[in-house]
Amino acid sequence: MDLYSAVSGLVNWVVGGLFGLVEGLGLRGPVVVFLRDLYGSLEHAIITAVVAILVLVVGLLMVVLMLWIERKLIGRLADRRATMLGIRGIGRGTGAIQLFADAIKLFVKEDLAPKKADRHVFAAGPSILVASSVLVLVAIPMSEGFAASDLDGGLIFAMAVFGFAPFAVFLSGWSANNKYTLIGGMRSATQMISCEIPFLLSLVGVVILAGSFRLVDIVHMQGELWFIVLQPIAFVVYFIAMISEIERIPFDLPEAEAELVEGWQTEYSGLKFAFAMMSGYIRGYVGCALGVLLFFGGWSSPVPAYSVALPWGGEFSGPVPELWFLMKVLLLFMVLVWVRAALGRVRVDQIVNLGWKRLLPLALFNIALTVAFLIFAPELESDTLAMGVAFSVPSLFLVAMFWKWGWFR
Amino acid sequence: MIGWDLLFFIIFAAVALISAILTLEAREIVHSVIFLCSTFVGVAGLFFLLNAEFLGIVQILIYVGAVTVLIAFAIILTRRDIMQREGGGA
């Protein structure tokens, strides 16, 4: 079922019930008529707002879940237990309420700004950051029905808004009037211009294969064979550039806490700091979600179709597609946490080299390979397995040869 | 009753025009760049209203991405105190 029709049914039911109650109480007159007309003209806007709030809430709940997973998993990877805070009876020893404790702490902290800071820009930085991060959620469908929008250029819209964040990071870094924040902001811009282009180019192969920028179409094209099999190089480039875009640990130069105190967010306190941190996780969710949609079949089920008869009647044929999608996203996010626990931070010159000299040629090479295969072997499109072998084996072989020739060193 | 299209057209056009003026009026060069970015976003909104989705998206993708680099150059090539001294007299 479509998200919009479901929500409009719900809203109409609630409002109709309210009006029925009002008229049942014997209240009639111009005010009730006016309210009815007002609702009639605002109905579409109200439904859109409810859908938007629903999508936002799902995103925020995912942020909470991802924060908890990150803390516990990174604790395990560092051979400790991580946060154990819990109320008696509610998740004791699981750290279930640690996040709420943190949120309350950040809510009640004083909102400080440096004396010589540019106050308006200082406040605008985290706002732009959160707004642009949340805006990407609009473009991400969780299944055919559960989508806030179905743009023809959904993928490129997500990419465009995703690339907004370094701008906001730069503004915050500059406005705090502090050398560490400024260096952090400069690093963010450097990182963005070196990794944005391979990030975009890595998607071109997928778009060529799918023949569409619509994320729903891209997922439908992966019905039989996920694009990770057809586009292994694109996935590697996407994954590395995505970590750089969301500024997580191997590439978290803008907030390198060993060198720059806390980087661009040094001067933020209270809710602004919470916003900065939250937008980082929303971007993590969005990056993983796009990775799942483009390379791991989106919401399609990874197990073959089956159905089990339930004892109370009816049939069970697997969880809802949204659940598959979220599970895949969380699995991909766990890989990010693993990467964070395993690797150290790279230097600025290293990331510029990586972006321009390694990822960009790899992405271009992948595009050329994809186009060449579609030109020389268009009939392979029917046989998916052969197509997968024909794509991935030579490309992996060539990358291995590059490795052997010392091109990556 | 004003149509939604007209309402949003007025909003986006006002954003684009006012921030274009503020781009020229701002004392601080970084503020100019921020208003420039807001102009581009307003123009992208107008493109969306005209059903030119792709053009609007590309407007955001290219212009706002380039604006970050522009800010970097604005900061590298100017010194804050010079700007303030010269701007203060005018």
Side-chain angles (χ1 to χ4, degrees), chain A residues 118 151 160 167 170 174 193, chain B residues 31 37 53 61 67 69 71 75:
Chain A
D118 192 327
L151 290 171
F167 176 63
F170 204 102
W174 173 81
I193 55 174
Chain B
H31 291 178
C37 167
E53 269 175 19
L61 187 68
V67 156
V69 184
I71 290 195
I75 292 172

Side-chain angles (χ1 to χ4, degrees), chain A residues 223-237:
Chain A
E224 291 165 33
L225 197 64
W226 292 354
F227 280 158
I228 174 102
V229 182
L230 300 180
Q231 298 273 323
I233 304 178
F235 176 69
V236 170
V237 173

Side-chain angles (χ1 to χ4, degrees), chain B residues 40-55:
Chain B
F40 290 146
V41 173
V43 173
L46 290 180
F47 283 143
F48 273 106
L49 274 187
L50 293 170
N51 282 329
E53 269 175 19
F54 188 77
L55 202 55

Side-chain angles (χ1 to χ4, degrees), chain A residues 4-327:
Chain A
Y4 276 91
S5 53
V7 166
S8 78
L10 187 70
V11 169
N12 278 324
W13 180 69
V14 170
V15 174
L18 281 177
F19 277 120
L21 192 68
V22 166
E23 280 171 9
L25 288 173
L27 295 170
R28 283 192 184 79
V31 180
V32 177
V33 174
F34 173 72
L35 283 178
R36 237 184 220 293
D37 289 348
L38 190 67
Y39 174 68
S41 59
L42 285 181
E43 187 187 355
H44 189 65
I46 290 172
I47 289 165
T48 312
V50 172
V51 168
I53 290 168
L54 205 60
V55 169
L56 176 68
V57 166
V58 171
L60 293 184
L61 286 178
M62 284 302 284
V63 168
V64 170
L65 201 56
M66 282 161 66
L67 257 165
W68 179 73
I69 286 177
E70 166 145 41
R71 287 189 170 166
K72 291 308 265 189
L73 192 58
I74 211 158
R76 282 296 170 187
L77 289 165
D79 205 9
R80 59 193 165 83
R81 282 179 188 279
T83 170
M84 303 272 282
L85 193 62
I87 310 172
R88 180 173 309 191
I90 312 173
R92 205 171 193 197
T94 57
I97 67 161
Q98 176 72 52
L99 294 167
F100 299 97
D102 284 350
I104 290 167
K105 184 191 82 173
L106 288 172
F107 266 117
V108 299
K109 280 224 168 181
E110 188 183 354
D111 185 21
L112 293 166
K115 197 174 176 187
K116 286 197 169 175
D118 192 327
R119 278 178 182 279
H120 299 295
V121 184
F122 189 72
S127 319
I128 299 176
L129 192 59
V130 169
S132 67
S133 310
V134 166
L135 188 57
V136 193
L137 293 177
V138 165
I140 291 183
M142 285 166 73
S143 72
E144 278 122 57
F146 202 102
S149 76
D150 195 10
L151 290 171
D152 281 337
L155 175 61
I156 199 165
F157 175 81
M159 289 297 131
V161 183
F162 205 55
F164 235 90
F167 176 63
V169 168
F170 204 102
L171 285 185
S172 337
W174 173 81
S175 65
N177 204 5
N178 174 329
K179 61 185 173 190
Y180 297 115
T181 59
L182 181 60
I183 295 172
M186 290 296 229
R187 283 183 175 191
S188 174
T190 313
Q191 194 169 323
M192 181 237 179
I193 55 174
S194 54
C195 279
E196 179 88 3
I197 297 168
F199 184 60
L200 293 172
L201 286 181
S202 68
L203 308 172
V204 174
V206 172
V207 172
I208 289 174
L209 281 186
S212 170
F213 278 121
R214 248 181 95 209
L215 286 163
V216 178
D217 287 345
I218 292 175
V219 171
H220 279 309
M221 283 296 286
Q222 304 176 58
E224 291 165 33
L225 197 64
W226 292 354
F227 280 158
I228 174 102
V229 182
L230 300 180
Q231 298 273 323
I233 304 178
F235 176 69
V236 170
V237 173
Y238 173 83
F239 195 66
I240 295 173
M242 184 259 285
I243 298 175
S244 161
E245 281 278 306
I246 64 180
E247 285 160 12
R248 283 181 62 90
I249 254 193
F251 306 120
D252 70 334
L253 303 165
E255 49 173 295
E257 69 269 6
E259 307 148 30
L260 301 179
V261 193
E262 190 57 30
W264 62 275
Q265 37 186 329
T266 302
E267 299 283 5
Y268 284 116
S269 64
L271 261 185
K272 285 180 190 145
F273 180 77
F275 270 9
M277 195 159 167
M278 188 187 82
S279 74
Y281 280 92
I282 290 182
R283 286 167 64 73
Y285 166 64
V286 167
C288 292
L290 282 175
V292 166
L293 287 171
L294 295 173
F295 296 104
F296 292 98
W299 51 82
S300 58
S301 161
V303 293
Y306 64 95
S307 77
V308 184
L310 292 172
W312 53 85
E315 278 185 350
F316 180 74
S317 53
V320 290
E322 288 88 354
L323 206 58
W324 277 125
F325 176 73
L326 292 181
M327 277 198 277

Side-chain angles (χ1 to χ4, degrees), chain B residues 3-89:
Chain B
W4 291 107
D5 282 358
L6 184 61
L7 182 69
F8 279 102
F9 173 78
I10 291 170
I11 290 174
F12 284 128
V15 165
L17 283 177
I18 292 172
S19 29
I21 293 167
L22 287 174
T23 308
L24 302 177
E25 285 295 315
R27 287 277 157 79
E28 194 89 44
I29 194 162
V30 177
H31 291 178
S32 291
V33 180
I34 295 168
F35 289 125
L36 187 64
C37 167
S38 146
T39 312
F40 290 146
V41 173
V43 173
L46 290 180
F47 283 143
F48 273 106
L49 274 187
L50 293 170
N51 282 329
E53 269 175 19
F54 188 77
L55 202 55
I57 291 166
V58 169
Q59 170 93 10
I60 291 176
L61 187 68
I62 292 173
Y63 282 84
V64 178
V67 156
T68 316
V69 184
L70 200 61
I71 290 195
F73 278 110
I75 292 172
I76 291 167
L77 298 178
T78 56
R79 278 223 318 269
R80 219 175 169 177
D81 49 338
I82 293 178
M83 292 295 297
Q84 278 164 352
R85 226 186 302 131
E86 291 182 352

